[in-house]
Amino acid sequence: AEGLCTCYQHAVKTAAVKRTSTIYFFSFTVPGKPVGYYAQASRNDFGQRARKYKSYQDAVIAYARRAGLTTPMVASKERPLYIWTVPYFASGVHADPSNVQKGVVDALFYGSKGCGDKYTGGAFSAPLYDAGNPRCQVIVTDSLERMISAMQTTITEIRG
């Protein structure tokens, strides 16, 4: 269980029969413009776009750790994780929400050993807009049912 946060280790130990008996659930918000995934064919890419993407990954990691997550995260076939992202953009010029989610997932699993993010699922919302407060809300859980419940709550809040 190396690299797992304490609460996750506790969840693994106490969830004897039912995987959802102890739910792993974290929510955090990354302030600023959501940045989409950037494929780096070469790790020696230090251009402006690569630097911006790396900076965003660092921010995702920092806010995830503030929320109590340990990174890099670990997911397995026996214990998959679900990640939902809700990006709020300042204007109509922005990355695809699916690419924002891929970037967040890459940041959370950056440097992981073994399977990396192979056993993750999740979702992303359609683009939302807030010119004065661009951001990306992130939910990480090991319970698909809990992710769906959080999605329903957030959608209700958005619709007001």
Side-chain angles (χ1 to χ4, degrees):
E2 184 176 312
L4 300 177
C5 71
T6 306
C7 60
Y8 186 69
Q9 291 171 349
H10 176 71
V12 171
K13 290 176 187 173
T14 58
V17 178
K18 292 187 177 180
R19 192 170 73 64
T20 58
S21 63
T22 302
I23 296 175
Y24 177 76
F25 182 87
F26 291 91
S27 177
F28 61 94
T29 300
V30 182
K33 177 182 177 181
V35 176
Y37 173 74
Y38 177 63
Q40 294 176 299
S42 166
R43 291 288 177 196
N44 295 324
D45 182 356
F46 299 108
Q48 181 179 6
R49 187 168 176 207
R51 286 192 310 271
K52 182 189 282 188
Y53 181 63
K54 177 65 173 116
S55 177
Y56 190 71
Q57 282 188 313
D58 291 343
V60 169
I61 291 167
Y63 285 97
R65 288 179 178 168
R66 286 182 191 172
L69 285 167
T70 299
T71 60
M73 293 177 61
V74 176
S76 68
K77 186 175 182 179
E78 297 76 28
R79 195 80 167 180
L81 294 176
Y82 302 93
I83 301 168
W84 184 45
T85 55
V86 183
Y88 289 81
F89 299 101
S91 71
V93 179
H94 56 73
D96 292 344
S98 62
N99 286 337
V100 172
Q101 197 228 18
K102 176 65 176 156
V104 168
V105 171
D106 277 359
L108 295 174
F109 286 86
Y110 185 80
S112 67
K113 305 285 188 240
C115 296
D117 62 3
K118 179 178 178 178
Y119 294 105
T120 62
F124 52 88
S125 76
L128 298 170
Y129 300 94
D130 185 343
N133 186 21
R135 63 198 179 277
C136 185
Q137 295 175 326
V138 181
I139 290 174
V140 180
T141 183
D142 66 348
S143 166
L144 181 59
E145 295 81 6
R146 181 66 178 102
M147 186 186 80
I148 292 168
S149 173
M151 290 170 71
Q152 291 170 332
T153 300
T154 302
I155 290 167
T156 301
E157 290 171 0
I158 291 168
R159 291 184 176 161

